[in-house]
Amino acid sequence: MKKKIEDYLKEVEAFRAEKLEQLEQFRIEFLSKKGKIPALFNDFRNVDPTDRKEVGQLINNLKTAVQEKIVALKDQLEESTQSKGSDMDLTLPPNVTLGTRHPLSIVRNEIIEIFARIGFSVSEGPEIEDDFHNFSALNFPKDHPARDMQDTFFIEKDPDIALRTHTSSVQIRVMQSTQPPIRTVLPGRVFRNEAISARAHCIFHQVEGLCVDTDVSFADLKQTLFYFAKELFGEDTKTRFRPSYFPFTEPSAEMDISCNICGGKGCNICKYTGWVEILGCGMVDPFVLDSCNIDSKKYTGYAFGMGIERITMLKYQINDLRLFFENDLRFLEQFKSAY
Ligand code: PHE
């Protein structure tokens, strides 16, 4: 029996564990009910009374040795798994490349922000529109060429459902649902059936502006756009208005700004005129107000609409519109902004 105990002791001393599971196996082998140590205590009954004291002590020593071994190995194993974790530096910033806003979003947000400072809210409308909102209510005659398949992506015929060709459709939705005073900008994506080139795309973005109230005049329109141009392109920017035509405004105009590239001296961007066109505008035609149940005898209004791509190209001197849609990171990563 003594020999057996001595062998067990050697076994315990030599025991090594790499995993907690091995240690648990070891504990079961020695200490569980059917383990080696309870078995020794069982046999103890048959030990000669003269040897009892000594053998009892040996078994107790063995039991303590097993328990100490378990505690020691357990600590060791837990420490080593923790030390593996501590190689990680949790103070390091996560290894991700931060994205930047798309240049069109930057400029759209900046435009909205400039108008928000003088009391304009933001309204949005659907990209799929019916004939009434995109054309009829805006005073487009039935045979107007803009309704032709050449320009409009129709989805259904009779009744006509199409991808909106301009954000002016949202003017109608706003006026149908709100009585004046109205002061709002309408940003959104628009669609036209155009061949893709450096200057045109079949999908592009506009921001429309609409102001309807009592006593709104063309002077209010001019002053608002004058303020806008200076805020967006800089204090030295000059503006000029040229007469134009839109079915839904009367009178209508197009606004040019002094070329922000050459400062008006003449360059290939402004085609050596010193001026670049940035938007269309005018006084809301009374027909349009009446189509939306707004009393055109009581109220007047102005509207304007601009292409975000065009403004962004001028602001950042980008010479090909297709760059906005290619998702080339070398292009996109150059735009960092507060907006
Ligand atoms: N909707 C016109 C366009 O897409 C722009 C415009 C808007 C003109 C509002 C006048 C008033 O060309």
Side-chain angles (χ1 to χ4, degrees), residues 165-166 168 171 192 206 208 246 248-249 280-282 303-305:
T165 58
H166 51 183
S168 302
Q171 281 189 35
R192 284 184 203 175
Q206 291 186 327
E208 191 102 354
F246 300 102
F248 39 93
T249 48
C281 60
F304 53 85

Side-chain angles (χ1 to χ4, degrees), residues 148-162:
D148 198 283
M149 293 295 281
Q150 293 295 309
D151 300 306
T152 307
F153 288 117
F154 285 99
I155 293 174
E156 275 173 31
K157 274 281 187 196
D158 258 350
D160 285 348
I161 305 290

Side-chain angles (χ1 to χ4, degrees), residues 67-329:
Q67 284 165 338
E68 281 176 0
K69 188 83 185 182
I70 289 174
V71 172
L73 283 178
K74 202 170 178 178
D75 282 352
Q76 227 177 51
L77 284 174
E78 280 172 357
E79 220 168 84
S80 74
T81 47
Q82 269 167 16
S83 74
K84 257 187 220 142
S86 71
D87 290 349
M88 225 194 294
D89 183 351
L90 296 174
T91 63
L92 282 175
N95 187 20
V96 288
T97 329
L98 277 185
T100 53
R101 254 188 234 293
H102 194 281
L104 294 177
S105 301
I106 294 174
V107 171
R108 180 201 55 211
N109 294 352
E110 198 175 346
I111 294 170
I112 289 172
E113 167 75 23
I114 290 170
F115 284 106
R117 293 206 284 271
I118 53 169
F120 280 74
S121 64
V122 178
S123 314
E124 283 182 48
E127 293 179 349
I128 296 173
E129 268 298 6
D130 51 30
D131 180 275
F132 178 77
H133 291 90
N134 198 78
F135 295 127
S136 299
L138 287 159
N139 196 26
F140 277 83
K142 268 272 172 249
D143 54 358
H144 196 284
R147 296 178 174 218
D148 198 283
M149 293 295 281
Q150 293 295 309
D151 300 306
T152 307
F153 288 117
F154 285 99
I155 293 174
E156 275 173 31
K157 274 281 187 196
D158 258 350
D160 285 348
I161 305 290
L163 295 175
R164 66 179 175 197
T165 58
H166 51 183
T167 42
S168 302
S169 56
V170 192
Q171 281 189 35
I172 302 301
R173 290 191 175 271
V174 169
M175 287 192 279
Q176 278 180 322
S177 61
T178 334
Q179 280 295 308
I182 297 170
R183 240 175 228 86
T184 188
V185 283
L186 325 156
R189 192 158 60 154
V190 301
F191 310 84
R192 284 184 203 175
N193 192 359
E194 301 211 29
I196 296 170
S197 72
R199 297 174 60 86
H201 208 288
C202 53
I203 300 174
F204 57 103
H205 300 78
Q206 291 186 327
V207 177
E208 191 102 354
L210 177 68
C211 169
V212 186
D213 205 342
T214 48
D215 302 321
V216 175
S217 72
F218 201 91
D220 296 322
L221 168 63
K222 280 185 89 171
Q223 190 55 41
T224 304
L225 293 178
F226 190 52
Y227 150 82
F228 165 70
K230 281 177 179 279
E231 289 293 309
L232 191 66
F233 288 102
E235 194 49 37
D236 298 331
T237 309
K238 293 184 192 62
T239 50
R240 75 174 185 188
F241 289 76
R242 284 177 292 99
S244 185
Y245 174 76
F246 300 102
F248 39 93
T249 48
E250 182 60 34
S252 303
E254 277 172 324
M255 186 176 88
D256 298 342
I257 57 162
S258 51
C259 179
N260 67 320
I261 312 290
C262 63
K265 283 192 225 70
C267 68
N268 63 345
I269 300 286
C270 61
K271 300 199 197 84
Y272 301 94
T273 62
W275 297 94
V276 283
E277 187 223 309
I278 65 161
L279 55 81
C281 60
M283 300 307 291
V284 180
D285 194 301
F287 173 91
V288 177
L289 293 175
D290 291 332
S291 308
C292 303
N293 293 324
I294 290 180
D295 186 352
S296 62
K297 292 194 185 62
K298 190 168 164 200
Y299 296 108
T300 49
Y302 63 75
F304 53 85
M306 61 191 102
I308 304 180
E309 277 79 0
R310 183 167 175 74
I311 302 229
T312 310
M313 287 169 86
L314 286 171
K315 206 171 150 64
Y316 292 107
Q317 296 164 35
I318 296 161
N319 59 10
D320 193 327
L321 191 144
R322 288 167 291 197
L323 285 165
F324 293 130
F325 302 98
E326 280 166 0
N327 287 337
D328 186 331
L329 284 180

